[in-house]
Amino acid sequence: MKITRQKHAKKHLGFFRNNFGVREPYQLLLDGTFCQAALRGRIQLREQLPRYLQAETQLCTTRCVLKELETLGKELYGAKLIAQKCQVRHCPHFKNAVSGSECLLSMVGEGNPHHYFVATQDQNLSVKVKKRPGIPLLFIIQNTIVLDKPSPKTIAFVKAVEAGQLVSRHEKQSIQQLKEEQGLAKKPEQRRRKRKKVSGPNPLSCLKKKKKTPDTRPSSASHKKRQRIRNRNTPKNVLLEKQNAAG
């Protein structure tokens, strides 16, 4: 029975890997209901999940799931301890927490770009997950972990891709990678920063300063002083002559 279960899991994983690019290590998003079911069934998730999926796994959860388990009280204390040991993935509800199911739906988004698995016992969440193509679903039944087969929505999406009606996200990434390897992909143009031109010195500042020419014209005070000195140096006979002439 165990070998048959692992064969089915291997087949389903190959389907998701080939059509949606799911790769190792598998990232498993756990909610509180899955942790509680594992606790009741005494399932060692860290040991049994890699063994069942035959691959390396990462157990993940979100802050909203942890917050929800805290508010539910002592009854889910053991489930909270299991969830706290998981890696916490950043969700968009940092300020205002939402329910665990709503948070996990927002994490897978449209197209499940991070290739998350969803592990839950919540039937409403399972139905919503199955309506979105490309999301592997895990649950526990009779104390046994089970990877659900691809949903009808997922199979219809793959058929549409094969018929050429749609292009999956995985194919888009593969095409883009091939273009980049062959140098056909257009790299986003980076805006060149305009370099500031090194401006030279101001031409007006380079002009030689005109030297101030000293004023050679004698001032009025010095002119009068010279006249007085000349008058003192004139001979007496000249003065007498001028007096006689005046008389």
Side-chain angles (χ1 to χ4, degrees):
M1 190 70 179
K2 182 179 179 181
I3 296 174
T4 305
R5 191 166 57 90
Q6 286 183 338
K7 282 185 177 179
H8 288 167
K10 186 176 182 180
K11 179 182 177 182
H12 300 334
L13 285 172
F15 177 87
F16 284 108
R17 183 170 52 251
N18 295 331
N19 294 290
F20 296 97
V22 176
R23 60 189 179 275
E24 298 182 36
Y26 298 138
Q27 300 183 84
L28 316 180
L29 280 176
L30 279 60
D31 71 349
T33 62
F34 190 84
C35 294
Q36 181 69 5
L39 181 64
R40 288 178 178 176
R42 297 181 180 180
I43 298 173
Q44 301 295 327
L45 295 177
R46 291 189 179 278
E47 296 176 5
Q48 295 188 28
L49 275 169
R51 193 184 306 162
Y52 170 58
L53 298 176
Q54 300 178 25
E56 184 182 352
T57 60
Q58 292 180 350
L59 304 185
C60 312
T61 190
T62 64
R63 289 192 180 93
C64 293
V65 172
L66 294 174
K67 189 71 176 177
E68 185 179 53
L69 289 170
E70 287 178 2
T71 56
L72 292 174
K74 296 181 179 179
E75 294 182 359
L76 295 176
Y77 179 75
K80 185 184 75 171
L81 292 179
I82 295 174
Q84 285 177 341
K85 294 179 182 179
C86 298
Q87 299 179 17
V88 179
R89 291 288 185 264
H90 296 288
C91 64
H93 318 109
F94 184 76
K95 293 183 179 180
N96 300 316
V98 297
S99 65
S101 59
E102 185 179 347
C103 184
L104 294 193
L105 277 177
S106 69
M107 293 295 289
V108 295
E110 293 295 333
N112 194 16
H114 298 290
H115 309 299
Y116 285 124
F117 289 55
V118 174
T120 182
Q121 300 295 105
D122 187 344
Q123 293 298 321
N124 293 328
L125 176 59
S126 298
V127 170
K128 292 177 181 178
V129 168
K130 290 179 180 181
K131 290 180 179 179
R132 300 185 181 188
I135 306 174
L137 181 64
L138 286 163
F139 57 89
I140 296 173
I141 185 170
Q142 296 179 355
N143 301 333
T144 304
I145 302 171
V146 176
L147 175 64
D148 198 10
K149 62 183 180 181
S151 65
K153 188 77 173 180
T154 297
I155 294 174
F157 180 83
V158 172
K159 288 182 178 179
V161 170
E162 290 175 351
Q165 298 174 2
L166 295 173
V167 180
S168 65
R169 181 183 291 270
H170 175 56
E171 287 184 341
K172 288 180 181 179
Q173 292 175 350
S174 301
I175 293 170
Q176 182 66 21
Q177 186 177 357
L178 287 172
K179 286 183 177 181
E180 290 177 357
E181 289 176 356
Q182 297 178 6
L184 300 175
K186 292 183 179 181
K187 296 181 179 179
E189 295 182 358
Q190 296 180 352
R191 293 183 179 180
R192 295 181 179 179
R193 294 182 179 178
K194 293 183 179 180
R195 294 183 178 180
K196 292 183 178 180
K197 294 182 179 180
V198 181
S199 57
N202 190 348
L204 296 177
S205 63
C206 296
L207 296 175
K208 292 183 179 180
K209 294 182 179 180
K210 294 181 179 181
K211 294 182 179 180
K212 293 182 180 180
T213 54
D215 192 1
T216 55
R217 291 179 297 177
S219 61
S220 58
S222 60
H223 182 65
K224 290 179 180 180
K225 190 174 180 180
R226 287 179 183 177
Q227 283 184 347
R228 290 176 183 173
I229 293 171
R230 287 176 182 174
N231 291 335
R232 289 177 183 176
N233 294 334
T234 49
K236 291 182 179 180
N237 52 2
V238 175
L239 293 174
L240 291 173
E241 289 179 357
K242 287 183 177 181
Q243 288 178 358
N244 293 329

